[in-house]
Amino acid sequence: MDTLVDGIDFGEGPRWHDGELWYSDFYQRAIYAVTAGGSRRAVWADLDDRPSGLGWMPDGSLLVVAMTSRRLLREVDSALVEHADLSALAGGHCNDMVVAADGTAYVGNFGFDYEAREPVRSAELIRVTPSGEASVAATDLQFPNGSVIFDDTTLVVGETFGAGYTAWTIAADGTLTHRRRWAETPNMFPDGCTPDAEGAIWFADPAGSQVVRVKEGGVITDTIATAMPAYACALGGDDGTTLFVVCAPDSRPEAVQGKAQGAIYVTTVAVPHAHRP
């Protein structure tokens, strides 16, 4: 893999958008956009919370997960304002999300205080309507994290501590039905992920310092080793075949905050991006 940019504390939520790779940096409290050539700009800086998952509404306005305050923010008139308060629904810090075509957002959370090393508890997946109404969409998930939407009809959520992916059919009103297991990923910890045109998912596996491509049913087709633990990935570039991989030496705040030792690496894969995000 080649290095796209370095100097990252802890990156999350990479998304290819309008010809640039956007990502959040938890501890720099900023959202960046990077060109394919590695030119980086801060889109939002000096935020009052750790930013995590990113997405866009149909009108093009940015949605950002505010982790510790457990809110979903929306860009309105050149400011980030509260779109939904998730604090009464989330059992832990909020993290990644995927946004549907109509602007419905599905937001994961830890379910417990991971940084305080609390015992693992199951978590809820939260649905936020385009108007900002929040409700529990699904329960009993083991650290719901990176998520994708196939064909605007199927939501697939990675369970980092559940070693696999769970899927639902998305109803017309955005509620979730027909829960089923989409894939098992034994001995792996699926984190940030990205879908491709063959209906497979590339996901970051920090424990294995690798990115992995899995198909429905659990067939692993590819693995690529990374220089340090991988926490998220995204397909993009001009033809959708550039795989961007966000890495950091560790996930603990005390190990990475203010140290700028993380990086984003790139490689080329055979099957291009499709679907959401």
Side-chain angles (χ1 to χ4, degrees):
M1 288 190 171
D2 297 319
T3 302
L4 179 69
V5 290
D6 54 17
I8 296 170
D9 282 3
F10 191 89
E12 186 59 281
R15 307 283 188 263
W16 184 258
H17 178 72
D18 285 348
E20 296 177 297
L21 182 76
W22 291 52
Y23 72 93
S24 299
D25 193 312
F26 286 5
Y27 304 116
Q28 294 179 12
R29 300 206 171 197
I31 298 167
Y32 295 98
V34 187
T35 68
S39 177
R40 174 169 47 198
R41 63 189 178 93
V43 182
W44 290 95
D46 301 319
L47 298 174
D48 63 2
D49 198 352
R50 302 178 196 172
S52 185
L54 304 176
W56 285 266
M57 297 290 287
D59 65 0
S61 58
L62 176 67
L63 290 179
V64 182
V65 173
M67 290 188 68
T68 63
S69 60
R70 305 178 193 181
R71 295 177 297 152
L72 185 58
L73 309 179
R74 182 176 180 176
E75 183 180 27
V76 177
D77 296 331
S78 300
L80 289 177
V81 302
E82 184 177 291
H83 181 57
D85 183 353
L86 314 180
S87 60
L89 303 175
H93 291 348
C94 293
N95 55 350
D96 212 347
M97 75 170 167
V98 64
V99 180
D102 67 351
T104 300
Y106 299 91
V107 184
N109 76 90
F110 295 0
F112 62 99
D113 192 335
Y114 172 77
E115 293 170 11
R117 299 299 186 261
E118 285 185 356
V120 175
R121 294 192 300 272
S122 62
E124 305 75 23
L125 184 71
I126 299 170
R127 176 175 65 101
V128 180
T129 68
S131 62
E133 298 175 5
S135 61
V136 173
T139 61
D140 196 28
L141 296 167
Q142 302 302 309
F143 209 104
N145 208 333
S147 306
V148 306
I149 296 175
F150 288 117
D151 298 322
D152 294 328
T153 60
T154 302
L155 173 69
V156 184
V157 176
E159 295 182 67
T160 299
F161 291 166
Y165 284 86
T166 298
W168 296 262
T169 299
I170 303 173
D173 62 356
T175 57
L176 303 179
T177 64
H178 188 208
R179 179 171 179 162
R180 66 267 190 196
R181 196 64 165 171
W182 192 85
E184 301 288 350
T185 59
N187 303 313
M188 301 179 193
F189 293 80
D191 205 317
C193 62
T194 185
D196 71 22
E198 290 184 352
I201 294 174
W202 280 98
F203 68 88
D205 172 30
S209 292
Q210 61 184 347
V211 284
V212 179
R213 184 175 183 263
V214 62
K215 289 186 171 182
E216 185 174 6
V219 175
I220 303 295
T221 65
D222 301 85
T223 61
I224 304 173
T226 54
M228 61 181 104
Y231 290 96
C233 60
L235 285 167
D238 290 341
D239 63 359
T241 61
T242 300
L243 182 64
F244 300 89
V245 184
V246 182
C247 296
D250 205 304
S251 63
R252 296 169 299 163
E254 64 271 21
V256 296
Q257 186 170 356
K259 298 184 179 180
Q261 294 177 340
I264 298 177
Y265 300 99
V266 295
T267 190
T268 302
V269 297
V271 183
H273 173 265
H275 312 286
R276 296 176 181 274

